[in-house]
Amino acid sequence: MFQAAKQSKLQQDGNDDVFFVDNGNTSYRLSLYDQPPLYDVTVEEFETSALDRLRILAEIESSAARNRSWDETKQVTITQCGKYLPLNSNSASGIDIQAERRKDQLGHFVLRLAFCRSEELRRRFTKAETTLFKIRFESDDSNERRAFLNSKDFNWISVSKNEKDEYKGQLQHFISAKMDLDTAFNNEAFYKVKWTTIPDLVEKRKVFLKGGYAYVPAREQASIIYAAFEERLEAALLATSRAIPLVDEDMRLNPILDNLAQGFIAGVPSDWVASAETTGEGITADMVDSLAKQHFPLCMRVLHQSLRKDHHLKHFGRLHYGLFLKVLGLSIDEALAFWRKSFAGGSGSDKFDKEYRYNIRHSFGLEGRRMNYPAKNCLQLHSAHEAGCPYRQLESSPENLQSALLSSYSAQGLTINDLPEIMAQVKKRSYHVACTRVFEITHARSVRKGEGLRDGESVTHPNQYAARSIELEKESKEMEVDFV
């Protein structure tokens, strides 16, 4: 499927749901992804492997947007990888190592297909993937890392002893000596590479330059490896972009690849709620007002406030809010009671039954096609023209957005001093990061800055926000009872 000369070509094996893809070397936890995988894969595995990897890359981008330190970014990424993309060393026992390698390889190559289509996507994908590679490199088993390096050609030249001695005066400035300088110099290995491949070390003056080459001390060897990973991935993405018309012929994959690309652009990887089933405990119509004031994200608070003010919501407002409440735990009977009471204060029962009852039952899968529709995720709300994400829709009206934030969350501790930080994320179009920061501020008793919903995870779904908020309140009450 992803041959170097024919990046992206899919070959059907006669089954509409299975593709044949190339098998690559999965001997090591680290990979340059220079050999494509080879095995049968279903469309479902094709998509889920990419979605889980996209979660990791989205959190890496989110860390950059939130100005997390390298240690914080590394910890968040490792935690998220443990949930969605585990990749253990060969020495791990009781784990299907090959299954982990398979998912890692497949997810990477599928995302190449999705993100090769524009220069901006290629740049962001390369940057996020390089960061993931760095984190894995630093946390890898030392023996396996050494074996991986020995198996690859990174186009470096070992500097001979004679050459080291020739430039000793210059090279010894790059020795970090905890012992005698001459002894440290003799023990340090150096490698020569084209200076253009390691601009970061050149900029920081950590290498000696001579004749177009940079003399790199062994302790800075990782920079050569990172640069090689980035350079090879950039070249592979360009090759994939030239072959992408071959994939465009398959109409089953286009929607998947388009959704992946849109999710990456928005910084939101996928649905948090995998189905339309209720994720919380059952709630009643009378509980909604209280829940909205304490636990709802801004998108749903705005809809709730509009409903209470006007006793009405337009079609998409009813759709988005109704599905959100359904997944939160509002049953069909309670939903009918809630909407009947909300519209004109409960008057006009005949009009309600005639105009709205069918659509409400339809959203629960009780009418029409009888599909139990899921709630809309952040990506879908970002692209909605009506009743969508307020961070995006009010981006051009910062005063209105700030007013909405203060009126909605001031009772939960958000102040005017918090607004510049939130608006800075909105300006960068990192809407999910802005929403996550609001969650942290309004749950400051239980959540530290940078922690997100849990383990650094960002908001990707309104129900995810509400469910975690309710969960934190429950945990807090249980702790109070235990304390008493």
Side-chain angles (χ1 to χ4, degrees):
M1 171 178 174
F2 305 100
Q3 296 283 359
K6 298 179 181 178
Q7 296 277 345
S8 335
K9 185 172 182 180
L10 289 161
Q11 305 171 4
Q12 279 189 253
D13 68 350
N15 186 325
D16 285 343
D17 296 320
V18 179
F19 294 101
F20 191 65
V21 293
D22 254 351
N23 192 15
N25 185 350
T26 57
S27 300
Y28 305 105
R29 180 172 177 265
L30 295 171
S31 176
L32 297 181
Y33 304 101
D34 45 7
Q35 294 294 326
L38 176 63
Y39 39 76
D40 292 342
V41 53
T42 64
V43 173
E44 181 181 4
E45 186 180 3
F46 181 92
E47 181 176 21
T48 55
S49 63
L51 285 172
D52 284 343
R53 190 180 193 88
L54 185 54
R55 286 182 178 273
I56 309 304
L57 301 187
E59 283 302 331
I60 288 174
E61 284 209 326
S62 176
S63 292
R66 303 177 75 175
N67 297 316
R68 284 177 173 144
S69 67
W70 174 249
D71 288 339
E72 290 172 332
T73 299
K74 185 176 177 180
Q75 184 56 53
V76 166
T77 303
I78 290 174
T79 300
Q80 295 302 312
C81 281
K83 292 181 180 180
Y84 304 110
L85 195 65
L87 197 63
N88 289 279
S89 62
N90 291 331
S91 58
S93 59
I95 296 174
D96 190 344
I97 299 297
Q98 288 307 308
E100 292 184 347
R101 304 286 195 272
R102 167 189 172 116
K103 182 178 181 180
D104 179 69
Q105 292 279 322
L106 179 59
H108 172 87
F109 278 95
V110 173
L111 291 185
R112 277 194 193 180
L113 294 177
F115 304 144
C116 71
R117 304 180 182 209
S118 74
E119 183 178 352
E120 172 66 11
L121 281 173
R122 291 195 296 269
R123 181 190 64 79
R124 288 175 55 182
F125 179 65
T126 299
K127 185 176 181 180
E129 280 282 346
T130 302
T131 300
L132 177 59
F133 179 83
K134 289 180 180 178
I135 292 171
R136 286 176 169 175
F137 187 88
E138 290 186 4
S139 60
D140 199 24
D141 177 88
S142 59
N143 292 328
E144 291 185 24
R145 180 171 57 205
R146 189 178 304 109
F148 165 76
L149 295 179
N150 291 337
S151 71
K152 301 295 180 182
D153 180 8
F154 289 96
N155 298 318
W156 59 47
I157 303 171
S158 295
V159 177
S160 66
K161 185 178 185 307
N162 290 338
E163 194 172 6
K164 269 181 64 178
D165 292 339
E166 181 181 355
Y167 300 115
K168 180 177 179 179
Q170 292 86 356
L171 295 178
Q172 66 183 3
H173 292 295
F174 305 102
I175 300 297
S176 178
K178 295 182 180 179
M179 58 184 82
D180 176 72
L181 182 59
D182 287 336
T183 302
F185 178 77
N186 291 331
N187 291 338
E188 183 78 43
F190 282 85
Y191 302 90
K192 285 197 303 186
V193 294
K194 293 289 186 180
W195 72 269
T196 52
T197 63
I198 50 168
D200 58 328
L201 294 182
V202 174
E203 181 184 6
K204 297 174 183 177
R205 299 184 179 184
K206 290 188 174 182
V207 293
F208 168 58
L209 301 179
K210 181 70 176 180
Y213 283 94
Y215 288 69
V216 183
R219 59 190 172 83
E220 301 290 353
Q221 186 184 39
S223 291
I224 304 175
I225 300 163
Y226 302 154
F229 178 90
E230 186 172 349
E231 180 182 0
R232 296 182 190 193
L233 181 53
E234 287 173 349
L237 285 169
L238 282 174
T240 307
S241 68
R242 299 187 189 103
I244 200 65
L246 297 170
V247 177
D248 287 340
E249 297 172 2
D250 194 311
M251 298 306 295
R252 293 167 299 170
L253 299 186
N254 279 335
I256 296 175
L257 298 176
D258 290 343
N259 183 61
L260 290 169
Q262 291 171 12
F264 194 48
I265 291 171
V268 181
S270 65
D271 287 334
W272 170 72
V273 180
S275 71
E277 298 301 321
T278 297
T279 58
E281 298 177 358
I283 62 174
T284 66
D286 293 335
M287 295 168 60
V288 175
D289 282 334
S290 176
L291 291 170
K293 292 177 182 178
Q294 299 179 62
H295 304 299
F296 287 7
L298 185 61
C299 53
M300 297 302 144
R301 290 200 187 203
V302 168
L303 291 175
H304 184 81
Q305 291 165 3
S306 296
L307 179 61
R308 285 292 176 254
K309 177 182 177 183
D310 302 327
H311 299 292
H312 188 265
L313 284 176
K314 292 182 179 179
H315 171 73
F316 285 106
R318 297 195 303 273
L319 176 64
H320 297 168
Y321 193 41
L323 292 175
F324 167 81
L325 291 175
K326 180 188 75 169
V327 173
L328 195 63
L330 197 67
S331 68
I332 178 60
D333 291 335
E334 290 296 330
L336 289 170
F338 170 78
W339 288 106
R340 188 188 302 276
K341 182 178 180 180
S342 297
F343 286 170
S347 63
S349 179
D350 291 341
K351 180 180 179 181
F352 175 85
D353 288 340
K354 182 179 180 180
E355 297 186 10
Y356 305 115
R357 181 184 176 88
Y358 177 88
N359 287 336
I360 295 171
R361 287 177 53 82
H362 188 277
S363 67
F364 277 79
L366 302 176
E367 301 287 356
R369 298 171 62 192
R370 298 190 180 276
M371 289 181 58
N372 195 9
Y373 295 94
K376 303 298 180 181
N377 62 30
C378 290
L379 176 57
Q380 293 166 319
L381 294 177
H382 285 173
S383 58
H385 296 293
E386 179 187 320
C389 173
Y391 295 100
R392 181 182 184 278
Q393 295 183 333
L394 295 178
E395 179 185 0
S396 58
S397 304
E399 296 83 4
N400 292 337
L401 177 55
Q402 293 179 77
S403 177
L405 285 166
L406 288 174
S407 63
S408 298
Y409 294 108
S410 58
Q412 290 181 269
L414 188 141
T415 70
I416 194 170
N417 295 328
D418 299 313
L419 295 179
E421 182 182 4
I422 298 168
M423 297 306 296
Q425 298 300 338
V426 173
K427 188 174 181 180
K428 291 190 290 187
R429 299 185 177 180
S430 298
Y431 310 119
H432 67 300
V433 176
C435 187
T436 304
R437 184 64 189 121
V438 169
F439 182 91
E440 292 172 342
I441 293 169
T442 56
H443 296 79
R445 290 180 59 187
S446 306
V447 178
R448 301 188 309 274
K449 182 176 181 179
E451 187 177 347
L453 299 181
R454 183 190 282 111
D455 299 327
E457 189 170 358
S458 300
V459 176
T460 61
H461 198 296
N463 283 93
Q464 175 197 28
Y465 183 114
R468 181 57 177 155
S469 178
I470 294 171
E471 182 182 355
L472 286 174
E473 181 185 52
K474 184 177 179 180
E475 291 175 357
S476 178
K477 289 181 178 179
E478 289 176 350
M479 290 180 63
E480 289 176 2
V481 171
D482 291 342
F483 180 76
V484 173

